[in-house]
């Protein structure tokens, strides 16, 4: 497969944010859309569709639009997927690797803008494990900090109106 882009290269984009930030499209989703659209334009690519999971954790791979994306990949509707970065795909290192391996074996393409990952370029594969570990560690770190903050408030006797879900 070629490692080049041309004006007939069609792609889809996947955008994800773990928390919604109000009504309508969140600011983060809008920003991801702008970044991916600009990238595609610079490469002469056409974005056919945007798959968006706004308000879904990256630790699970069971997300409505992501599930639709996987079906479309299996049905050969999608050939190339663009992510802003690997953390939008997943914050679960093992599941990220499994997904990318399946893409690689299928001959389809995944591109990430920030890491410069490209399934068609083996030189970019070696850093995926490190990025995956960092993305997964972010979840553990955020959870630990949230638990510590709630415990500190409890020790101070502060009124806690609403403890974050899962804590």
């Amino acid at each position: 497969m070629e490692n080049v882009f041309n004006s007939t290269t069609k792609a889809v984009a996947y955008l994800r944010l773990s928390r919604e930030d109000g009504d309508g499209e969140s600011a983060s989703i809008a920003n991801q859309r702008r970044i991916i659209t600009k990238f595609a334009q610079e490469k002469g690519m056409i974005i056919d569709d945007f798959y968006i999971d706004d308000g879904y954790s990256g630790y699970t791979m069971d997300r409505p639009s992501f599930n639709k994306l996987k079906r479309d990949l299996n049905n050969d509707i999608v050939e190339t997927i663009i992510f802003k970065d690997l953390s939008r795909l997943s914050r679960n290192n093992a599941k990220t690797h499994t997904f990318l391996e399946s893409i690689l074996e299928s001959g389809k393409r995944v591109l990430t803008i920030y890491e410069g990952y490209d399934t068609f370029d083996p030189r970019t594969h070696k850093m995926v494990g490190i990025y995956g570990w960092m993305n997964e560690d972010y979840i553990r770190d955020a959870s630990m900090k949230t638990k510590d903050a709630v415990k500190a408030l409890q020790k101070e006797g502060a009124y806690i109106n609403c403890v974050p879900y899962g804590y």
Side-chain angles (χ1 to χ4, degrees), residues 114-126:
Y114 284 6
E115 296 95 354
Y117 177 79
D118 183 348
T119 49
F120 286 7
D121 185 355
R123 296 171 298 174
T124 66
H125 298 190
K126 58 186 161 195

Side-chain angles (χ1 to χ4, degrees), residues 5-111:
F5 306 98
N6 59 53
S7 60
T8 61
T9 302
K10 292 186 177 183
V12 299
Y14 181 79
L15 298 73
R16 184 193 61 76
L17 179 65
S18 60
R19 285 185 221 110
E20 293 183 56
D21 61 5
D23 294 331
E25 187 171 275
S26 70
S28 177
I29 293 294
N31 187 48
Q32 290 176 56
R33 183 188 300 270
R34 275 191 298 278
I35 290 166
I36 291 171
T37 300
K38 182 177 183 254
F39 172 83
Q41 287 172 343
E42 289 171 355
K43 301 291 185 189
M45 300 172 74
I46 299 165
I47 301 288
D48 280 341
D49 202 357
F50 288 88
Y51 294 77
I52 302 169
D53 283 316
D54 198 350
Y56 289 88
S57 170
Y59 196 73
T60 177
M61 298 287 263
D62 186 16
R63 305 182 298 261
S65 287
F66 191 69
N67 290 337
K68 182 179 184 322
L69 173 62
K70 290 186 288 188
R71 285 190 303 274
D72 289 350
L73 280 162
N74 289 335
N75 292 324
D76 293 327
I77 296 169
V78 171
E79 293 293 322
T80 301
I81 312 161
I82 304 171
F83 296 89
K84 182 190 84 166
D85 59 54
L86 285 170
S87 72
R88 301 304 88 202
L89 163 60
S90 176
R91 288 195 183 272
N92 182 312
N93 196 17
K95 290 179 181 178
T96 298
H97 275 282
T98 301
F99 179 78
L100 292 175
E101 280 297 316
S102 72
I103 294 294
L104 193 59
E105 290 169 5
S106 72
K108 297 185 179 172
R109 193 174 202 176
V110 166
L111 302 166

